[in-house]
Amino acid sequence: MQKFRNFKRSFSFQKRQGLPQSRFNERSEGNEFEEAIDVLCQQNRLNEAIELLHQIHRPSPRIYSTLIAACVRHRALQEGKMVHAHTKASKFVPRISISNRLLDLYSKCGSLDDAQKLFDEMIHRDLCSWNTMIAGYAKIGRLQQARKLFDEMPQRDNFSWNAAISGYVSHARPWEALELFRRMQNHESSNLNKFTLSSALAASAAIPCLRLGKEIHGYLTRTGLDSDEVVWSALLDLYGKCASLNEARGIFYKMEDKDVVSWTTMIHRCFEDGRKEEGFSLFRELMRSGIRPNEYTFAGVLNACAGHAAEHLGKEVHSYMVRIGYDPRSYAVSALVHLYSKCGNTENARRVFNQMPRPDLVSWTSLIAGYAQNGQPEKALWFFELLLRSGTKPDQVVFVGVLSACTHAGLVDKGLEYFHSIKEKHGLMHTADHYACVIDLLARSGRFKEAEDIIDKMPIKPDKFLWAALLGGCRIHGNLEVAERAANALFEIEPENPATYITLANIYANAGLWAEEARVRKGMESRGIVKKPGKSWIEIKRQVHAFLVGDTSHPKICDIHAFLGEISKKMKEEGYIPDINFVLHDVEEEQKEQNLVYHSEKLAVAFGIISTPPGTPIKVYKNLRTCVDCHNAMKYISKIVQRKIIVRDSNRFHCFEDGSCSCQDYW
């Protein structure tokens, strides 16, 4: 008892730290201990409280209950185990309430084996004991044990049903969740509440099954439970995931207290459904609403901007993030790097990247792929080596950017070295994308024998991207035999894709095999396959202007044609010769040249030049790969008008400046 005497002597000192002064001569020793432990627990001094516990001869149930409650509050598993061990050592027989608190501690700390051992030792269990175990197992995904206890328990309440159903939902087993929900509906003593119904809606959304969701929605309406915000959020998620965006929007605008999660869900659903303008409009509404967007909101909007090449909108979002302040470690910063990389603004991408205290792998990958696609393969490879030195473990995705950089730079041997290192050095499996990249690398350089050897030995089936890469290499080098092999494989995989027919026909036309070219064109016509029209677009003063090949619908088309006529004369004076090799029709050369003039990217670039002040950079996006003639023409135009012209085609960015392209004509 010496320690307790010391405790009494120091009690007046303890008062200065928040402990009350006690009148030892008026209270029993047990009460003094209870009071001291209460205060120590309130001050989060758990270890001192437990140390004091060992000085008590026979602790009261209240002391144990206080200590265990404090351990639960602070998720102090080890301290809780010490208290539990003390109950056994002191021969204390706990009441159900104290055992349940211990179960709650073990469950909330994820120590379900300890919880199960205690549960098995309990002579008496109540509904709370069973529910705590079921909820604990369900939370960590041990659904088999949760369901076993659920089926064995002598009686159930709403918590029992909800814990089991939500466990299935949380761990991607929606069918089991709905099966249990049906059983609950038919159970006479059950009472469906907003938590049950929200879980059932989440399960319907995960399948997704709109019919079941609408059935639950009808029940909510009939019972008057559809006015709760938890239910509204679940309904919003259901209709969004089931692609019923109009119903989702109706639910959204009925919600009185929209939180940032609701806004974010609705905005993202608009983007996923292809309703870009609606998504951006909702985001602007959110900014005006006074509710602060979170990192997931920003990330979703920025990724949508990247997907639609809407750099100016992305910059608006970036500016807003700067104004309100943002965490440089958040997902939104990775999305910023991705946005600028996808839009060809590698300077901004790197600037944002450099602000990150520890860039994640997504940011590294975006920056590397951005440099690769923007004609800066050396920087892409430099950053990859920097990634390796940083200790960040590369994944399979980042190697796609690395191999693309080697492809665009013509670094065949270096690319092959990286390709083999994926498996041999980094222990990763080659993916279909890796094979497509390495075949593209070899085919572009004319090394068809090596390419075919890899195809014949690869352990996975070649996909359409690989065969398309091989066919593209054949177009460059005029390899008819390999082209036919690649085209035949593509005809089997996607017989309706016009790109295969067009590329093969171009190869035949370039070789002067007009009969073969006509056969391919006739095959297209007989199957009703129509060539996808070339489309290019440019943004001027925040308005997007789109052009199709041969387009005459634009209000400024006369000015555009006049400019192209003048620039064509100057280009020819500088030595430009139209490349008519890939014009499909076997027509007069003059007509072929005329056809080339009206390609969509030339129309868009011409409009950009006549609509902006001298020296303004021009940025054009195109849905297809730019043709050889347009690529050549852009070099001449950039030199004559002294403009930087950036063309993003379906493969990469081409930056034309002073008569040369960033791809160094290797594309």
Side-chain angles (χ1 to χ4, degrees):
M1 296 300 294
Q2 182 61 39
K3 192 162 188 176
F4 180 57
R5 293 189 188 96
N6 293 339
F7 176 82
K8 288 195 291 184
R9 280 199 298 271
S10 66
F11 206 80
S12 61
F13 172 74
Q14 298 283 354
K15 181 180 178 182
R16 293 199 298 270
Q17 303 183 46
L19 290 172
Q21 188 174 16
S22 302
R23 285 177 279 181
F24 287 70
N25 56 347
E26 294 179 6
R27 298 186 182 185
S28 68
E29 182 179 294
N31 287 341
E32 298 294 347
F33 275 116
E34 284 186 13
E35 183 181 357
I37 286 174
D38 276 347
V39 175
L40 288 169
C41 287
Q42 288 168 13
Q43 295 182 344
N44 303 333
R45 294 157 65 182
L46 269 177
N47 287 323
E48 293 175 64
I50 293 170
E51 189 178 352
L52 199 57
L53 174 66
H54 290 284
Q55 308 305 316
I56 307 174
H57 180 58
R58 285 186 179 278
S60 67
R62 182 176 176 275
I63 288 177
Y64 282 125
S65 182
T66 299
L67 284 167
I68 296 168
C71 292
V72 172
R73 214 164 39 246
H74 300 289
R75 303 294 189 266
L77 177 61
Q78 294 309 315
E79 290 82 354
K81 285 185 175 182
M82 291 166 63
V83 177
H84 188 189
H86 194 279
T87 64
K88 293 182 177 181
S90 64
K91 309 296 185 187
F92 175 74
V93 180
R95 287 177 268 180
I96 288 182
S97 61
I98 291 178
S99 294
N100 283 345
R101 281 195 168 178
L102 281 168
L103 284 178
D104 191 36
L105 170 72
Y106 289 136
S107 174
K108 285 178 176 172
C109 292
S111 186
L112 267 298
D113 292 336
D114 288 313
Q116 185 66 59
K117 184 178 178 183
L118 172 60
F119 183 80
D120 293 338
E121 291 171 354
M122 291 171 66
I123 299 172
H124 301 291
R125 305 170 187 137
D126 62 8
L127 190 57
C128 179
S129 315
W130 289 91
N131 283 345
T132 300
M133 291 301 300
I134 291 167
Y137 277 127
K139 182 181 178 182
I140 64 171
R142 291 170 66 173
L143 300 177
Q144 187 174 352
Q145 292 96 324
R147 183 60 182 266
K148 182 175 183 294
L149 287 169
F150 179 84
D151 290 337
E152 290 174 354
M153 65 191 305
Q155 64 182 89
R156 304 182 184 96
D157 63 2
N158 270 20
F159 185 92
S160 319
W161 289 97
N162 291 341
I165 292 169
S166 65
Y168 281 126
V169 172
S170 300
H171 294 88
R173 292 171 63 175
W175 288 110
E176 287 98 325
L178 288 172
E179 176 265 327
L180 211 55
F181 173 70
R182 293 297 191 200
R183 278 184 56 187
M184 184 180 181
Q185 280 183 303
N186 297 327
H187 200 275
E188 58 185 21
S189 64
S190 67
N191 179 27
L192 301 177
N193 60 24
K194 63 181 181 180
F195 301 108
T196 321
L197 294 160
S198 295
S199 292
L201 286 169
S204 302
I207 291 174
C209 181
L210 183 60
R211 180 184 58 80
L212 286 172
K214 284 191 170 183
E215 182 182 317
I216 298 166
H217 188 181
Y219 178 86
L220 286 163
T221 304
R222 291 194 302 275
T223 55
L225 289 170
D226 63 344
S227 59
D228 186 272
E229 292 301 314
V230 173
V231 172
W232 284 123
S233 294
L235 282 169
L236 178 62
D237 191 51
L238 164 79
Y239 287 120
K241 287 181 177 175
C242 291
S244 294
L245 203 61
N246 291 333
E247 286 92 340
R249 186 149 192 171
I251 293 292
F252 178 76
Y253 281 113
K254 287 179 183 177
M255 297 173 71
E256 293 183 5
D257 299 316
K258 303 178 186 69
D259 60 10
V260 67
V261 176
S262 306
W263 280 98
T264 302
T265 300
M266 192 66 220
I267 290 166
H268 289 188
R269 292 289 173 251
C270 288
F271 289 134
E272 288 173 0
D273 202 49
R275 291 157 74 161
K276 175 186 71 169
E277 294 304 327
E278 198 169 339
F280 290 132
S281 175
L282 272 175
F283 178 70
R284 291 190 181 97
E285 279 187 51
L286 169 60
M287 290 193 291
R288 291 191 296 268
S289 72
I291 297 173
R292 182 168 176 159
N294 61 24
E295 61 177 296
Y296 301 103
T297 322
F298 287 130
V301 174
L302 289 168
N303 285 329
C305 291
H308 293 93
E311 185 181 359
H312 77 279
L313 288 173
K315 284 182 175 179
E316 285 184 22
V317 178
H318 189 182
S319 297
Y320 181 75
M321 289 169 62
V322 171
R323 286 199 304 274
I324 67 172
Y326 62 91
D327 184 352
R329 295 176 294 271
S330 71
Y331 294 114
V333 184
S334 295
L336 272 173
V337 177
H338 177 61
L339 162 76
Y340 287 126
S341 295
K342 286 284 285 182
C343 292
N345 194 336
T346 52
E347 290 181 9
N348 275 4
R350 184 170 181 174
R351 191 174 295 117
V352 174
F353 181 87
N354 289 340
Q355 293 171 0
M356 303 177 74
R358 185 172 177 80
D360 59 12
L361 187 55
V362 174
S363 302
W364 284 103
T365 303
S366 295
L367 192 65
I368 290 166
Y371 278 125
Q373 290 190 333
N374 282 277
Q376 298 170 288
E378 297 82 6
K379 287 186 178 179
L381 299 181
W382 185 83
F383 269 97
F384 178 67
E385 294 299 333
L386 194 63
L387 177 152
L388 297 178
R389 291 197 296 273
S390 74
T392 305
K393 184 176 173 59
D395 65 359
Q396 293 165 315
V397 179
V398 74
F399 275 105
V400 176
V402 172
L403 293 173
S404 295
C406 294
T407 298
H408 294 317
L411 301 173
V412 183
D413 293 333
K414 188 70 174 174
L416 288 171
E417 181 185 328
Y418 280 125
F419 175 75
H420 293 302
S421 76
I422 292 172
K423 187 174 182 180
E424 296 169 3
K425 185 177 179 180
H426 299 284
L428 301 169
M429 296 299 293
H430 285 124
T431 67
D433 288 336
H434 297 152
Y435 280 108
C437 284
V438 80
I439 295 305
D440 193 20
L441 177 73
L442 291 168
R444 284 173 185 266
S445 62
R447 293 164 66 166
F448 293 103
K449 178 66 170 62
E450 292 172 71
E452 289 192 287
D453 285 345
I454 289 176
I455 293 171
D456 293 337
K457 294 175 183 176
M458 59 189 286
I460 57 178
K461 188 176 180 180
D463 64 9
K464 62 182 181 181
F465 301 106
L466 181 148
W467 290 117
L470 185 63
L471 186 61
C474 294
R475 179 191 59 79
I476 295 169
H477 296 281
N479 190 321
L480 288 172
E481 182 181 350
V482 178
E484 288 171 346
R485 178 188 178 186
N488 288 333
L490 285 167
F491 289 146
E492 288 185 15
I493 296 171
E494 44 178 7
E496 304 303 314
N497 186 354
T500 306
Y501 295 89
I502 298 299
T503 305
L504 184 60
N506 278 335
I507 294 171
Y508 284 136
N510 194 40
L513 300 174
W514 294 107
E516 294 300 313
E517 184 264 354
R519 179 179 59 81
V520 174
R521 284 171 50 77
K522 188 175 180 180
M524 280 184 69
E525 292 171 5
S526 65
R527 291 176 176 82
I529 299 170
V530 180
K531 178 186 176 183
K532 188 178 181 180
K535 179 182 177 181
S536 298
W537 59 98
I538 183 172
E539 185 178 318
I540 303 292
K541 295 179 180 179
R542 298 194 174 186
Q543 184 177 351
V544 175
H545 299 261
F547 298 87
L548 296 174
V549 60
D551 201 342
T552 59
S553 62
H554 195 275
K556 294 276 188 179
I557 196 63
C558 293
D559 296 335
I560 293 169
H561 284 177
F563 173 82
L564 288 173
E566 289 298 318
I567 202 74
S568 294
K569 293 175 186 176
K570 293 178 181 179
M571 287 162 58
K572 288 180 179 178
E573 289 172 3
E574 292 285 335
Y576 163 71
I577 300 173
D579 191 329
I580 60 174
N581 286 331
F582 296 112
V583 179
L584 283 180
H585 298 285
D586 189 13
V587 295
E588 295 297 325
E589 288 195 13
E590 185 177 347
Q591 182 60 48
K592 288 184 179 181
E593 288 188 27
Q594 192 69 14
N595 291 345
L596 290 172
V597 170
Y598 301 120
H599 279 193
S600 63
E601 58 265 56
K602 288 177 181 171
L603 297 174
V605 167
F607 175 69
I609 292 171
I610 66 175
S611 303
T612 56
T616 305
I618 304 297
K619 184 180 285 188
V620 167
Y621 294 86
K622 184 178 180 181
N623 64 333
L624 304 176
R625 186 178 182 276
T626 192
C627 75
V628 175
D629 178 74
C630 284
H631 188 271
N632 191 30
M634 293 302 166
K635 291 192 291 185
Y636 281 94
I637 296 172
S638 70
K639 184 177 181 180
I640 293 168
V641 301
Q642 289 296 292
R643 301 270 196 123
K644 179 188 284 187
I645 300 172
I646 300 168
V647 177
R648 166 64 195 264
D649 69 5
S650 59
N651 284 356
R652 61 176 298 170
F653 282 92
H654 296 270
C655 182
F656 302 94
E657 194 166 12
D658 197 28
S660 62
C661 180
S662 58
C663 74
Q664 299 176 22
D665 296 338
Y666 193 86
W667 54 284

